[in-house]
Amino acid sequence: MTREFQIFVKPVSASCNLHCSYCYYLNKKNRYPKASTFLMSDDILEKYIIQHIEASTEQVIIFSWHGGEPILAGIDFFRRAIKFQNKYKPAGRTIINGIQTNGTLLNDEWCSFLADENFSVGISIDGPGELHNKHRRISKKEPSLARVLKGYNLLQKHKVNTELLCVLNSHNVKYPLIIYDFFKQMEADFITFLPLVMTAMESPLQVTPDSVSAEEFGQFLIKVFDKWVEEDIGKVKIQIFEEAARTAFNQEHTLCIFKSDCGGVPVVEHNGDFYSCDHYVDNEHFMGNIMNKSISYFLDSPEQKAFGQAKSKTLPKYCLECPVKKMCNGECPKNRFLKTPDGEPGLNYLCQGYKLFFTHCQPFVETIRSEWNQQINPI
């Protein structure tokens, strides 16, 4: 059996040294009111690594460390994780580690370790100055950008493979080229833009004021895309552009939100609890604990399969008939809370923005497709 999955493992649960106003995970600590510590124990760590390796069917086994802020687990925790990985790694297989961090706690020791162990690092930066500091703060009074950039520069100094993750909200989305030029000045090689969509507690069909608007999100991507096409093809990789280009080769998307079905990015919490998805850490999507059942069991369970397949099965007719459906596939189910023009439920809140962008880039994708077909089928 072939399994394609990427587990977001939470070694310190939702613990974090920042207080980002839009964080969707901070309140997940409330699920564990009796916890004396949110640090994953060595017993659970070892069990998790054994099961993750056993569940993996690919030549390359990928671990993804998330939070909260996973750096809070401490460097010795990750040294132990590497020892367990080396102990249980099958002959002839390769293990790769990725870690997502806010970057404020990085120092030379950390970056040397990450470089030596060949970690890939995702670091969150929302743009220059207040475009970042408005929402990402150490405290109400202390902005975080200066410390983030210090961490980023240390990663560059140690030649750590680094990806920039930028959350687009109602404020910074208005400055696409300022943000993109800032990232280019940082010599970013890989950039991911993440649209902020948070529903209001009092009305799940309404979004918070900080959420990005669909149209502005689409226009942001268009403006960055046009500059990227003109100046940076082959120099800078932007995840959503890469995903759009995959359709030129009839390749499956690598990003879960654009896959036809999902369910391949579950969560393992600090105590071994397994949830269907990072955005569904709740009672309904709690699958059990890895100390009682294996990761393979959870991934292959009818419940997890049904969770993933619901994405395509509930796609509205409006989406099924959309000319850019293959580029989007309805995006993330958590954002599908609007109704289509004919009243069918399940339309994605970001639909208008995605349709704007994917329609705009479609001629570029078709050019790639045509050139590729000429290469494989020369006249």
Side-chain angles (χ1 to χ4, degrees):
M1 176 185 292
T2 298
R3 296 188 192 90
E4 186 177 338
F5 67 91
Q6 179 188 11
I7 293 174
F8 283 3
V9 57
K10 312 279 187 173
V12 292
S13 187
S15 300
C16 190
N17 64 312
L18 294 191
H19 300 276
C20 302
S21 60
Y22 55 61
C23 183
Y24 66 91
Y25 210 82
L26 277 177
N27 65 1
K28 300 306 178 184
K29 290 175 70 173
N30 297 334
R31 296 193 60 79
Y32 304 102
K34 297 181 180 179
S36 58
T37 177
F38 290 100
L39 176 64
M40 180 177 283
S41 70
D42 284 359
D43 287 346
I44 295 174
L45 174 63
E46 184 173 19
K47 178 74 77 171
Y48 163 66
I49 287 173
I50 291 171
Q51 291 186 12
H52 186 118
I53 290 172
E54 289 177 342
S56 299
T57 59
E58 304 296 318
Q59 174 66 29
V60 178
I61 304 168
I62 300 174
F63 286 83
S64 300
W65 305 93
H66 275 245
E69 177 47 61
I71 296 294
L72 288 172
I75 198 167
D76 288 338
F77 172 91
F78 286 97
R79 288 189 175 118
R80 293 193 295 274
I82 295 298
K83 286 184 178 179
F84 287 138
Q85 290 175 352
N86 291 335
K87 178 179 179 180
Y88 296 107
K89 181 175 74 71
R93 306 276 291 281
T94 300
I95 289 179
I96 293 177
N97 286 280
I99 189 168
Q100 174 61 34
T101 178
N102 60 48
T104 61
L105 301 176
L106 295 172
N107 55 27
D108 273 308
E109 183 184 15
W110 262 109
C111 292
S112 177
F113 166 78
L114 295 170
D116 290 344
E117 300 299 339
N118 199 31
F119 271 67
S120 293
V121 176
I123 187 167
S124 298
I125 303 177
D126 290 352
E130 282 304 303
L131 298 183
H132 174 94
N133 288 327
K134 180 177 175 64
H135 293 289
R136 303 187 64 83
R137 305 185 75 84
I138 297 169
S139 66
K140 288 184 178 180
K141 294 183 179 180
E142 187 179 359
S144 66
L145 182 59
R147 285 171 60 175
V148 176
L149 293 178
K150 180 180 178 181
Y152 174 79
N153 289 333
L154 286 172
L155 290 169
Q156 298 301 97
K157 170 187 168 183
H158 289 271
K159 295 181 172 53
V160 177
N161 182 31
T162 305
E163 172 189 1
L164 298 188
L165 287 87
C166 176
V167 176
L168 296 177
N169 53 71
S170 60
H171 179 57
N172 68 350
V173 74
K174 303 179 190 304
Y175 306 95
L177 299 186
I178 289 176
I179 290 175
Y180 185 51
D181 287 343
F182 178 64
F183 289 162
K184 286 175 63 176
Q185 291 167 14
M186 295 171 62
E187 299 181 348
D189 296 321
F190 199 102
I191 303 169
T192 292
F193 293 113
L194 304 170
L196 176 63
V197 180
M198 296 186 70
T199 53
M201 292 291 292
E202 63 277 7
S203 177
L205 299 182
Q206 299 292 325
V207 297
T208 62
D210 292 334
S211 296
V212 70
S213 83
E215 182 176 0
E216 286 186 317
F217 173 58
Q219 293 296 343
F220 179 102
L221 295 176
I222 287 171
K223 289 176 182 176
V224 173
F225 177 80
D226 287 347
K227 187 160 188 175
W228 175 80
V229 168
E230 184 178 341
E231 300 179 0
D232 301 312
I233 292 179
K235 301 177 185 176
V236 180
K237 291 185 177 181
I238 298 178
Q239 189 178 51
I240 190 169
F241 302 169
E242 299 269 313
E243 291 294 322
R246 294 183 70 84
T247 61
F249 311 107
N250 294 317
Q251 294 175 330
E252 174 65 88
H253 288 290
T254 60
L255 190 60
C256 66
I257 61 172
F258 295 139
K259 288 178 178 288
S260 298
D261 290 318
C262 57
V265 190
V267 161
V268 170
E269 257 287 348
H270 72 291
N271 68 339
D273 284 350
F274 186 105
Y275 294 89
S276 294
C277 171
D278 191 46
H279 289 287
Y280 291 90
V281 177
D282 53 36
N283 290 336
E284 182 181 352
H285 299 93
F286 170 66
M287 303 290 291
N289 191 284
I290 65 168
M291 301 303 281
N292 302 317
K293 297 283 188 178
S294 71
I295 286 172
S296 296
Y297 172 87
F298 293 130
L299 290 172
D300 298 340
S301 68
E303 294 83 0
Q304 188 68 7
K305 296 293 186 184
F307 170 80
Q309 292 167 0
K311 179 178 180 180
S312 60
K313 289 182 177 179
T314 59
L315 202 61
K317 181 181 179 182
Y318 180 81
C319 299
L320 293 172
E321 296 174 349
C322 178
V324 292
K325 183 255 181 186
K326 287 186 178 181
M327 292 182 171
C328 172
N329 285 311
E331 206 243 9
C332 185
K334 81 175 182 67
N335 295 332
R336 284 163 51 176
F337 51 82
L338 298 184
K339 289 185 177 181
T340 65
D342 58 0
E344 189 176 3
L347 182 67
N348 196 294
Y349 167 81
L350 294 168
C351 173
Q352 182 184 7
Y354 280 121
K355 187 173 286 189
L356 279 171
F357 169 66
F358 287 133
T359 300
H360 179 81
C361 75
Q362 204 162 26
F364 172 80
V365 173
E366 290 304 318
T367 298
I368 295 175
R369 189 195 311 274
S370 176
E371 291 179 354
W372 174 253
N373 286 337
Q374 288 179 16
Q375 288 181 27
I376 60 176
N377 298 302
I379 297 175

